[in-house]
Amino acid sequence: MTLFEIAARGGWIMILISLCSLAALAIFIERLITLRKIKLNARTFVLQIQNLLMRGKLDDALKTCKQTPGPIASLTKAVLEKYDRSYEEIKEALENAARSEIYHLEKYLSALGTVAAVAPLLGFLGTVTGMISVFQVMAVSGSGNVRAMAAGVSQATVPTMAGMVGALSGVLLVTLISRRAAREVEFLEDSLTMDH
C-alpha cells in the first residue's frame, strides 16, 4: 500500500492535516530563504558602511542605515548612533537592537507552532470520527465480522499517525528556525564588533 493510499484511507480530515503540513513547509522555506539572504547582504552592507566611515561620512552612513531594510542596517544604526559613547553603552544599544531583530527574524514561528499544536488535534478528531463509523457498523451488523472491524479501526488510526507526524515536524521546524535566527543575529553582531 502506497503512502497516498494510506492517507486516502484516513478520510476527509487528512486534507486538513495535509494543508497544515504544507503551510508549515511553506513557512519553513520562506524563513530559510530570508535568513540566507540576510547573511549574503550583510557583508556587502558592512563594507559599504566601512567605506563611508573611513572617509569621515558618519551622517551618510546613518542615512544609508535608515534607508536600508533588514537587521544588519538596524544593528549598524544602533552602533553608529552611540559612536561617541562608552563601550558599555554601545554594547547595550547593540544588544537591545539584536533582541528586536530576533523578534523579526522569528516572524511566523507562532504560526508554525500553531500548526504543530493543531495537527495532532485534527488527527485525534479523525480517529474519533472513524471510530464512530466503526461502532455504527457494529451496531448494524454485529461484532461477528472481525475483519471489517479491524479494517475500520486501522483506517481510523491513520489520522492520528498523520497528526503526530505533523506535530513532530512542526516542533522540529520551529526549533531549527529559532536556532538559525539566533545564529544569524550572532553573525551580524560579530560582523559589527569586528568591523567597527
Side-chain angles (χ1 to χ4, degrees):
M1 192 178 290
T2 66
L3 189 61
F4 179 77
E5 288 171 335
I6 293 171
R9 287 179 59 136
W12 62 270
I13 204 81
M14 291 297 292
I15 295 170
L16 296 177
I17 294 172
S18 297
L19 290 174
C20 284
S21 297
L22 287 173
L25 184 61
I27 292 169
F28 178 70
I29 291 170
E30 186 276 335
R31 287 289 87 194
L32 274 185
I33 291 170
T34 299
L35 292 171
R36 180 170 167 72
K37 192 174 172 184
I38 287 167
K39 195 165 192 172
L40 292 173
N41 293 341
R43 295 185 193 282
T44 305
F45 178 81
V46 169
L47 288 173
Q48 183 184 3
I49 295 298
Q50 270 185 326
N51 187 29
L52 288 169
L53 293 176
M54 285 192 305
R55 294 186 331 217
K57 297 187 174 183
L58 178 63
D59 290 338
D60 288 346
L62 277 167
K63 186 178 178 183
T64 301
C65 290
K66 289 174 185 174
Q67 292 173 345
T68 305
I72 186 65
S74 298
L75 295 177
T76 304
K77 179 174 166 285
V79 170
L80 293 180
E81 286 176 340
K82 303 282 185 182
Y83 82 97
D84 57 347
R85 306 288 176 85
S86 69
Y87 171 78
E88 288 304 319
E89 287 181 275
I90 293 172
K91 184 180 175 185
E92 184 182 351
L94 184 59
E95 287 171 353
N96 289 337
R99 275 193 290 274
S100 174
E101 289 309 314
I102 286 175
Y103 173 79
H104 292 298
L105 290 174
E106 292 182 343
K107 185 179 176 183
Y108 303 128
L109 285 195
S110 60
L112 201 52
T114 301
V115 168
V118 167
L121 296 176
L122 287 172
F124 290 137
L125 177 62
T127 296
V128 169
T129 56
M131 291 304 293
I132 289 170
S133 298
V134 169
F135 289 129
Q136 285 175 341
V137 170
M138 285 174 60
V140 173
S141 62
S143 59
N145 192 345
V146 177
R147 181 175 286 180
M149 285 174 51
V153 170
S154 172
Q155 182 176 342
T157 56
V158 169
T160 296
M161 180 191 69
M164 295 304 284
V165 168
L168 287 170
S169 301
V171 168
L172 287 173
L173 295 180
V174 167
T175 304
L176 285 171
I177 292 295
S178 294
R179 287 183 180 173
R180 182 75 184 262
R183 279 203 307 268
E184 293 307 326
V185 169
E186 284 174 18
F187 164 76
L188 296 174
E189 286 178 331
D190 288 345
S191 298
L192 291 176
T193 53
M194 283 191 310
D195 293 322
H196 296 291

